[in-house]
Amino acid sequence: MQTSAASATSEFIRQTLPGLRDRYVITYLAEGDCIEYFLTDRATGEEISQNLVISLNRFARRIEIIRFYPELHRQPDTKFFSATCFYLLVHHFAQYFGIPPNHKVFVRTQPEVFTRFYQSLRDFDFSPQSQIANTIDLLSDFTHTDVDTSMIKEKSADPREMQFMIA
């Protein structure tokens, strides 16, 4: 449970969230300290996301973006939806685990993805921490906001499918 008051959700998120919510359903499966998210087109029922996985690193006090491929850039008229989806998932994850305010958001990605996407996320302050070959580690402070994540619903697990984590 958060220990301090949440900041107001940015105007950008307030403007783009209704469009995302109207066109897509977001569900999740939690396992251990990880959550896998699923993005489904409301009109077609097609699951469009490839990999959306976030993990809690309790020792490092980090929300770690393991995989973030919502595939929204392949859909028509979805400008800014990837940024809004990222914001929503990080905040849902933090609310789900009751993350206190002193956590960071961590991403390991390619430098060009940092330049094209993460650097432009105005609701985060990602900065490069280290770079090895063609991967770059990014960190941002995490700030709780008053965003409503109630649109994200728990997915019913199909007993015929393997869980996303392997023991």
Side-chain angles (χ1 to χ4, degrees):
M1 183 166 278
Q2 60 189 76
T3 57
S4 65
S7 301
T9 301
S10 73
E11 184 63 26
F12 168 78
I13 296 298
R14 284 196 306 265
Q15 288 178 356
T16 55
L17 186 55
L20 179 72
R21 183 178 40 235
D22 290 348
R23 290 189 49 194
Y24 300 98
V25 173
I26 303 174
T27 56
Y28 72 93
L29 285 174
E31 187 174 335
D33 284 343
C34 291
I35 296 181
E36 182 174 18
Y37 292 92
F38 306 90
L39 194 58
T40 304
D41 186 300
R42 283 188 190 277
T44 66
E46 177 186 0
E47 189 176 296
I48 64 164
S49 59
Q50 292 297 309
N51 291 295
L52 301 171
V53 180
I54 303 177
S55 179
L56 176 58
N57 182 327
R58 293 177 188 274
F59 178 75
R61 295 184 176 175
R62 295 191 315 207
I63 298 168
E64 296 189 348
I65 310 307
I66 305 302
R67 293 186 294 253
F68 184 75
Y69 301 101
E71 300 299 313
L72 286 164
H73 67 283
R74 297 177 189 259
Q75 306 300 310
D77 303 318
T78 57
K79 188 172 183 175
F80 305 122
F81 280 6
S82 290
T84 303
C85 181
F86 182 85
Y87 179 90
L88 194 61
L89 297 186
V90 168
H91 283 81
H92 175 268
F93 184 89
Q95 290 170 10
Y96 182 90
F97 284 104
I99 304 271
N102 59 347
H103 278 59
K104 303 277 187 190
V105 180
F106 170 84
V107 178
R108 177 169 284 152
T109 192
Q110 298 169 337
E112 58 272 11
V113 175
F114 167 61
T115 303
R116 262 191 352 258
F117 182 69
Y118 291 104
Q119 189 174 29
S120 65
L121 297 177
R122 298 297 173 221
D123 291 287
F124 296 90
D125 61 349
F126 283 109
S127 61
Q129 300 300 302
S130 62
Q131 184 171 348
I132 299 174
N134 197 32
T135 61
I136 189 168
D137 290 350
L138 308 173
L139 273 181
S140 171
D141 289 326
F142 175 72
T143 303
H144 287 278
T145 66
D146 61 359
V147 67
D148 179 7
T149 63
S150 64
M151 71 174 276
I152 302 175
K153 303 294 183 192
E154 188 167 11
K155 184 175 184 170
S156 299
D158 185 337
R160 296 169 295 176
E161 292 180 5
M162 263 180 86
Q163 292 295 311
F164 65 94
M165 288 180 55
I166 298 173

